[in-house]
Amino acid sequence: MVDDFNWEILDIEIDLNLSAQRIVRVLERVGISRGYPAMIRLDNGPELISQTYRNELLDFFLFRTLNEAREITGRWLMEYNNERPHESLNNLTPEEY
């Protein structure tokens, strides 16, 4: 789940399958912690972020468990949102923007 304003990744839910109820719980969790958006856009995600995630994690690691995938993704997410400047955000991190 990505914020279109600052490209911050709000959540990545990792599992073997995701039911509609699970997606609703994730949306509720993000809404409670960040506030509910005026609009939700549904698509396959911004291609740049999807490609970055694939190149830096999915193609690089062979995860042994779902928990390992979640832990490594969590660390990557913190770096992406808080440490990595983005050209499209005038070389600020999503958190700074």
Side-chain angles (χ1 to χ4, degrees), residues 1 4 6 13 15-16 41 43 49 58 62 72-73 80 91 96:
M1 182 180 319
D4 277 342
N6 66 355
E13 191 72 9
D15 212 326
L16 298 177
R41 180 172 57 117
D43 63 18
I49 292 171
L58 299 180
L62 179 60
I72 292 171
T73 296
Y80 182 91
N91 290 315
E96 293 169 326

Side-chain angles (χ1 to χ4, degrees), residues 6-89:
N6 66 355
W7 295 95
E8 179 181 8
I9 300 173
L10 303 175
D11 201 310
I12 296 178
E13 191 72 9
I14 298 172
D15 212 326
L16 298 177
N17 59 38
L18 299 171
S19 67
Q21 291 174 335
R22 179 97 172 262
I23 299 300
V24 169
R25 284 196 307 266
V26 171
L27 291 169
E28 285 291 330
R29 183 176 65 229
V30 171
I32 289 167
S33 68
R34 298 292 303 255
Y36 292 92
M39 179 180 71
I40 295 176
R41 180 172 57 117
L42 301 175
D43 63 18
N44 290 331
E47 289 301 317
L48 179 60
I49 292 171
S50 297
Q51 187 64 40
T52 300
Y53 181 72
R54 174 166 299 291
N55 289 343
E56 295 181 9
L57 265 76
L58 299 180
D59 291 346
F60 188 75
F61 288 97
L62 179 60
F63 302 112
R64 291 174 289 201
T65 65
L66 285 173
N67 282 337
E68 181 182 39
R70 291 177 185 123
E71 288 172 16
I72 292 171
T73 296
R75 288 193 300 267
W76 178 85
L77 191 64
M78 293 298 292
E79 177 193 336
Y80 182 91
N81 286 336
N82 302 312
E83 299 172 18
R84 182 184 299 186
H86 299 266
E87 261 185 62
S88 63
L89 302 175

